[in-house]
Amino acid sequence: MQNIKVGLLGFGTIGTGVVRVFQQNHDLLANRLGASLELVRIADLDTTTDRGVKLAPGLLTDDARALLNDPEVQIVIELIGGYEPARTFVLEAIRNGKHIVTANKALLAMHGEEIFSAAEEAGVSVMFEAAVAGGVPVISAIKENLGANNYSALYGILNGTCNYILTEMDEKGKDFSDVLAEAQKQGYAEADPTFDVEGIDTAHKLALLLSLCFGTKVDFNDIYTEGISKVTAIDIEYARDFGYKLKLLAIGKRDGDKIEARVHPTMIPEDYPLAAINGVFNTVRLVGDFSGPVMLSGYGAGMDATASAVMGDVLSVARDLQTDCSARMPALGCPQSQLANYTIKPMEQVVTPYYLRFNVKDHPGVLASIAGILGKHEISIESMVQPHRHEAEAVPIVFMTHVAEERNVIAALAEINEMDVIQEETLLIRIEDHLE
Ligand code: HSE
């Protein structure tokens, strides 16, 4: 029986999950492959913490280079996370002819071109199913099962931590910071939770999905990125009153050789399937010209689900090794030389309806002045509420607008925020009510 040897870089939460799959499903994997899959080295700087799994003596080392230079290791699983030293190690492994399986979306969103080109040159695979939507097999679906489609749009709830926070705030009325602490305790959050709550993690994942779906290079810095830290329980409540749910949505749309690429809190109608995705669940809705809309959902974060995706990639590479057809599938589903260079539409050109929450002094004429400025900037109001008449000085006024161009909304808000009666900066939340 062939023996395929694997090395693991990074023994944190997901790494522990990977070891558990190797141990618990060892025979099942061998049976499915008709070959033995063996974890021969684990490298992590921390060799003392008890991760709750038993390891054979000598398996765990703090010497990553020993793993990278081990001629026996054919597949390297990179679960260090972050940019460095992950980038250096991955490039070194590729140069040494090893296939890569990684969950590192930050690394691939920033340095994908360099890594994918190096892999193509070396004739090795780079697989990253676990980098987007945890245990949901969205990348193989885009590249393989739906690979004959011309995609027009994709929508994603791609950060388990944010979705968990928004769901808990919605259902239990909890505070943002308490729920974030719970998510960190459960092992969903990134090492730096700013990446989660400020939308950066979602934008990393969107960058990869855009390249995969639209076959284009994407400059991560061009993706408009806004997180959920300014959203309050009150906005979630108002959203509900208007028949919407609030989600941190990743949006990608193709418009000729331009693409829309944005991550921001978004109100979606409560009867849309995306609105029902709660807690740590992630979902991706892909719109292909022949398939029509396809939605994939499942656990987007956490040790077991992410380890499942990592090990699916390991199995796939192992099968390629068995049949001697390594690097069968380019990392982004098409060769690097075939990637287009579409530009990302500037945010000011985006057209969508808006939720605007003003905090104002409750004086006669305030509402009329705000409405007047919105009208002057060609923003038409669909509905409006002044939810509570407080004893306090400041009251919220909420406007739902018809579709408007973002540049007009920004200009109107700049003018309104200058008014004496405005008590705090106006909150703007985009609405997406015509999902393809
Ligand atoms: N921190 C990420 C999340 C983990 O919360 O979704 C998976 O990338």
Side-chain angles (χ1 to χ4, degrees), residues 103 105 130-134 158-162 187-190 196 201 205 280 282 300-302 306:
K105 54 264 158 178
V132 181
L158 299 175
N159 186 270
T161 302
C162 285
Y188 304 147
E190 297 301 299
D196 293 300
D201 176 74
K205 293 166 179 168
V280 73
N282 277 192
T306 313

Side-chain angles (χ1 to χ4, degrees), residues 155-265:
Y155 305 89
I157 293 172
L158 299 175
N159 186 270
T161 302
C162 285
N163 207 42
Y164 177 78
I165 292 173
L166 292 174
T167 305
E168 292 285 295
M169 286 172 77
D170 184 13
E171 291 178 355
K172 302 188 185 144
K174 288 189 185 171
D175 280 342
F176 175 86
S177 51
D178 292 344
V179 193
L180 173 60
E182 281 167 31
Q184 286 176 292
K185 218 164 90 194
Q186 312 245 24
Y188 304 147
E190 297 301 299
D192 176 359
T194 321
F195 271 43
D196 293 300
V197 297
E198 297 307 341
I200 300 159
D201 176 74
T202 300
H204 285 146
K205 293 166 179 168
L206 177 61
L208 293 171
L209 292 182
L210 291 168
S211 288
L212 286 157
C213 285
F214 303 138
T216 182
K217 293 180 185 171
V218 171
D219 185 341
F220 171 75
N221 298 308
D222 290 344
I223 298 179
Y224 176 80
T225 306
E226 184 187 315
I228 61 167
S229 59
K230 287 193 189 136
V231 169
T232 67
I234 241 178
D235 299 301
I236 295 176
E237 203 180 308
Y238 295 158
R240 198 184 307 131
D241 292 347
F242 283 108
Y244 290 99
K245 282 272 181 196
L246 188 63
K247 297 288 176 193
L248 182 69
L249 214 62
I251 300 171
K253 295 182 190 174
R254 167 108 185 260
D255 180 6
D257 59 3
K258 278 207 178 129
I259 49 177
E260 246 178 64
R262 46 195 171 101
V263 171
H264 49 71

Side-chain angles (χ1 to χ4, degrees), residues 94 163 363:
I94 289 171
N163 207 42
H363 289 167

Side-chain angles (χ1 to χ4, degrees), residues 136-414:
V136 189
V138 59
I139 292 175
S140 58
I142 295 172
K143 288 201 291 195
E144 308 216 38
N145 316 88
L146 299 169
N149 283 272
N150 194 3
Y151 298 99
S152 53
L154 69 99
Y155 305 89
I157 293 172
L158 299 175
N159 186 270
T161 302
C162 285
N163 207 42
Y164 177 78
I165 292 173
L166 292 174
T167 305
E168 292 285 295
M169 286 172 77
D170 184 13
E171 291 178 355
K172 302 188 185 144
K174 288 189 185 171
D175 280 342
F176 175 86
S177 51
D178 292 344
V179 193
L180 173 60
E182 281 167 31
Q184 286 176 292
K185 218 164 90 194
Q186 312 245 24
Y188 304 147
E190 297 301 299
D192 176 359
T194 321
F195 271 43
D196 293 300
V197 297
E198 297 307 341
I200 300 159
D201 176 74
T202 300
H204 285 146
K205 293 166 179 168
L206 177 61
L208 293 171
L209 292 182
L210 291 168
S211 288
L212 286 157
C213 285
F214 303 138
T216 182
K217 293 180 185 171
V218 171
D219 185 341
F220 171 75
N221 298 308
D222 290 344
I223 298 179
Y224 176 80
T225 306
E226 184 187 315
I228 61 167
S229 59
K230 287 193 189 136
V231 169
T232 67
I234 241 178
D235 299 301
I236 295 176
E237 203 180 308
Y238 295 158
R240 198 184 307 131
D241 292 347
F242 283 108
Y244 290 99
K245 282 272 181 196
L246 188 63
K247 297 288 176 193
L248 182 69
L249 214 62
I251 300 171
K253 295 182 190 174
R254 167 108 185 260
D255 180 6
D257 59 3
K258 278 207 178 129
I259 49 177
E260 246 178 64
R262 46 195 171 101
V263 171
H264 49 71
T266 310
M267 289 189 185
I268 47 177
E270 64 190 356
D271 56 355
Y272 275 27
L274 273 172
I277 306 302
N278 287 322
V280 73
F281 273 76
N282 277 192
T283 195
V284 179
R285 181 182 172 94
L286 302 160
V287 189
D289 54 352
F290 281 83
S291 63
V294 174
M295 259 182 67
L296 297 161
S297 305
Y299 287 116
M303 171 162 63
D304 289 350
T306 313
S308 155
V310 169
M311 290 304 290
D313 279 350
V314 170
L315 268 183
S316 173
V317 176
R319 284 189 203 285
D320 289 350
L321 284 168
Q322 280 179 294
T323 48
D324 233 0
C325 55
S326 293
R328 178 184 62 85
M329 173 61 80
L332 292 175
C334 70
Q336 287 295 109
S337 59
Q338 299 298 310
L339 289 173
N341 235 327
Y342 298 146
T343 47
I344 292 181
K345 196 190 255 189
M347 201 56 196
E348 66 211 23
Q349 291 174 17
V350 165
V351 175
T352 189
Y354 293 82
Y355 160 101
L356 305 173
R357 175 168 56 78
F358 303 96
N359 242 32
V360 297
K361 281 190 196 154
D362 195 4
H363 289 167
V366 169
L367 188 59
S369 313
I370 292 176
I373 295 174
L374 292 175
K376 191 177 86 184
H377 289 276
E378 291 174 40
I379 300 159
S380 158
I381 297 157
E382 192 197 87
S383 52
M384 170 270 154
V385 283
Q386 182 175 325
H388 310 285
R389 194 181 164 99
H390 292 276
E391 295 304 315
E393 266 274 277
V395 293
I397 299 181
V398 174
F399 284 89
M400 305 296 269
T401 78
H402 289 290
V403 288
E405 204 172 339
E406 178 117 350
R407 82 170 86 234
N408 292 339
V409 176
I410 298 301
L413 293 192

Side-chain angles (χ1 to χ4, degrees), residues 53-69:
V53 285
K54 274 216 171 81
L55 300 179
L59 187 64
L60 179 60
T61 169
D62 62 1
D63 185 0
R65 292 240 145 66
L67 187 157
L68 296 170
N69 294 318

